[in-house]
Amino acid sequence: MPILEDAAKALVNFNDTGLGLAEHSHRSELATKIINEAKADLSTFLEIPDDYEVLFMQGGGSGQFAATAYNFAGAWVARKHKELGSDDGSIEQLKSAVKDLKIDYIITGGWSQKAAAEAERLFGPEHVNIVADSRKLNAGKFGIIPDEDTWNLSRDSAMVYYCDNETVHGVEFPGFPKRLEPGPDGPVVVADMSSNILSRKIPIRNFSAIFFGAQNNLGSTGITVVVIKKSFLAQPSAALLRQLALPIPPRALEYETIAKNNSLYNTLSIFEYACSCQYILELIHISSVYIAGRVLKKLLLQHPSRVQGQQTLSEQKAQLIYAALAAHPEIYHIIPHKSVRSRMNICFRIEGGDAAEEAFLKQGTAIGLTGLKGHRDLRGIRASNYNSIPLEGAAKLANYIGTFASQRGH
């Protein structure tokens, strides 16, 4: 709440400048300072190495489904082109090599499924390799992560994508996959961490890139953050991609362009209003970056051990809720397998079906426990245990879980 109150004041009059934060030019020294401070604080909190770049973009995680496919396929082409040389004969060799271009996807829930589908739409199914699909081993449903021994990884993929935490189905990778640990020839690993970023320590060097929307754990909607190893920024020319019959990414999704412009290639608007003459004043994304920066400064003060401190707190909150559910197995059925249960999104069903779940939701709302309804595709109950939820909030939900079970005679 203090961060939102601070942001509200800044939107009206930032640092006594007489202008609201969103009214300052995104080309101003003030805007650059806000961006650079947010990048530095994120790098400190997550211990991001110097050879990685932090980008602020727009389009959410869904936009990154396209951006990662475009950029890492492009980086693959750039590497192959360099290996083969730049003479005329190398183009024919490159065309032949591109036939074997693969983008790998590990499908463990709705978001990774959508990421793979987007890559197929852009590049064609012949360039997409499904490494594993948990539904094939779980009676057609998500809720597990396939054993790594069953993964069918491509030999030289442009990237291997996975979603670290699937919000809809409550599935979270318990740690970095052993099969993807770095070696002399890769693999190139890209992870979607939109819903569990800042909640646990990340072995950044194991990744070529991670991306995440700000809205769950970092700040307000409007920005998406990409952390990418700088060596993957270089892209082939549009002319070369045309010769190879590969799609050309929009500039606004091109990591190299965003990096060269310090995340200010375009004006990313999240606040706007219209006056009586229907003139639209687009206000800038700096407000959203500012809020993210304030969240990071609070986290750095709150946790001297940085992200490790938040990890301890996240695990403590999740354990409270899961223990309360496990204490009443006759009433509650936790959806995902125990080995992959998310700390961020706790999904379960209640004995008695829709009527019992409606009663749970209604009684919960009456005591201030809102937003517990499950995703429309899965239904049931989903407790989103993001970083903004205090320990007291998790304890309140755990107590209510026990109280509701007692009311039903268990």
Side-chain angles (χ1 to χ4, degrees):
M1 185 61 74
I3 290 174
L4 291 176
E5 291 172 351
D6 174 58
K9 292 176 183 177
L11 282 173
V12 176
N13 184 1
F14 181 69
N15 285 356
D16 295 323
T17 59
L19 292 174
L21 178 62
E23 296 173 275
H24 286 270
S25 169
H26 71 295
R27 303 294 181 194
S28 67
E29 184 179 337
L30 179 148
T32 300
K33 183 174 184 291
I34 289 172
I35 287 176
N36 289 342
E37 280 191 8
K39 287 168 66 173
D41 287 341
L42 181 65
S43 296
T44 298
F45 194 72
L46 290 181
E47 299 178 358
I48 299 172
D50 291 340
D51 57 340
Y52 284 72
E53 183 64 71
V54 176
L55 311 175
F56 293 115
M57 298 180 67
Q58 199 176 37
S62 296
Q64 290 305 312
F65 298 160
T68 52
Y70 279 134
N71 284 273
F72 280 92
W76 184 91
V77 168
R79 291 197 303 275
K80 293 294 180 184
H81 193 207
K82 185 176 180 181
E83 291 170 8
L84 294 170
S86 56
D87 57 81
D88 292 340
S90 70
I91 296 300
E92 292 306 314
Q93 290 180 282
L94 192 54
K95 286 181 179 178
S96 179
V98 163
K99 292 177 183 177
D100 296 324
L101 168 65
K102 294 293 183 184
I103 312 173
D104 282 8
Y105 288 86
I106 303 167
I107 299 180
T108 55
W111 294 116
S112 48
Q113 180 187 9
K114 288 180 179 179
E118 181 71 344
E120 286 192 0
R121 188 180 72 86
L122 295 172
F123 287 84
E126 68 274 17
H127 290 302
V128 174
N129 173 48
I130 304 303
V131 173
D133 187 332
S134 61
R135 294 169 296 183
K136 293 183 178 179
L137 300 172
N138 195 42
K141 297 179 180 179
F142 292 121
I144 65 168
I145 295 175
D147 190 284
E148 294 184 26
D149 291 338
T150 68
W151 292 6
N152 177 34
L153 291 164
S154 300
R155 186 179 62 83
D156 182 30
S157 64
M159 72 172 187
V160 183
Y161 164 98
Y162 74 93
C163 182
D164 205 36
N165 183 71
E166 294 278 7
T167 60
V168 176
H169 298 88
V171 172
E172 184 177 27
F173 278 78
F176 188 83
K178 294 278 187 188
R179 284 287 303 276
L180 302 184
E181 287 181 353
D185 300 314
V188 176
V189 182
V190 175
D192 178 351
M193 296 187 176
S194 290
S195 52
N196 64 351
I197 194 65
L198 307 184
S199 72
R200 68 179 180 187
K201 193 172 178 66
I202 302 167
I204 298 289
R205 286 210 175 276
N206 288 3
F207 297 94
S208 300
I210 61 172
F211 67 84
F212 48 94
Q215 65 274 13
N216 290 325
N217 286 320
L218 181 58
S220 60
T221 56
I223 57 168
T224 308
V225 183
V226 178
V227 179
I228 181 170
K229 194 169 185 178
K230 293 176 182 177
S231 60
F232 287 95
L233 290 172
Q235 292 291 300
S237 67
L240 178 58
L241 290 174
R242 286 193 188 94
Q243 283 184 277
L244 301 173
L246 290 175
I248 300 167
R251 286 289 191 196
L253 293 182
E254 195 175 66
Y255 295 153
E256 185 179 26
T257 297
I258 304 303
K260 285 179 178 177
N261 289 274
N262 195 29
S263 299
L264 291 173
Y265 172 73
N266 62 318
T267 305
L268 307 180
S269 172
I270 63 166
F271 295 99
E272 59 181 26
Y273 63 87
C275 65
S276 58
C277 61
Q278 296 184 340
Y279 172 75
I280 303 295
L281 175 61
E282 292 186 352
L283 299 173
I284 65 172
H285 78 307
I286 297 302
S287 302
S288 192
V289 178
Y290 174 78
I291 292 172
R294 302 306 295 176
V295 170
L296 287 164
K297 288 188 183 300
K298 179 185 176 183
L299 287 171
L300 285 166
L301 287 172
Q302 184 179 352
H303 300 298
S305 59
R306 301 174 185 173
V307 71
Q308 184 62 56
Q310 186 61 46
Q311 177 173 333
T312 300
L313 179 58
S314 296
E315 290 170 353
Q316 187 178 1
K317 292 189 298 176
Q319 286 167 5
L320 275 174
I321 299 169
Y322 278 121
L325 293 169
H328 303 280
E330 304 89 351
I331 294 292
Y332 304 110
H333 168 62
I334 303 170
I335 294 173
H337 188 271
K338 188 174 183 179
S339 63
V340 297
R341 287 175 184 168
S342 171
R343 299 161 303 128
M344 298 288 106
N345 306 99
I346 298 166
C347 299
F348 58 96
R349 302 303 301 261
I350 300 177
E351 184 66 29
D354 292 345
E357 289 169 355
E358 284 299 321
F360 182 91
L361 293 170
K362 185 175 181 180
Q363 292 179 37
T365 299
I367 60 172
L369 293 170
T370 59
L372 291 171
K373 189 173 184 178
H375 190 275
R376 61 185 177 276
D377 291 342
L378 195 64
R379 300 166 60 203
I381 310 297
R382 177 177 60 170
S384 291
N385 187 33
Y386 297 129
N387 288 352
S388 59
I389 302 297
L391 182 60
E392 295 77 15
K396 182 176 181 179
L397 175 58
N399 288 335
Y400 172 58
I401 287 169
T403 300
F404 185 82
S406 297
Q407 290 173 356
R408 300 185 70 79
H410 291 277

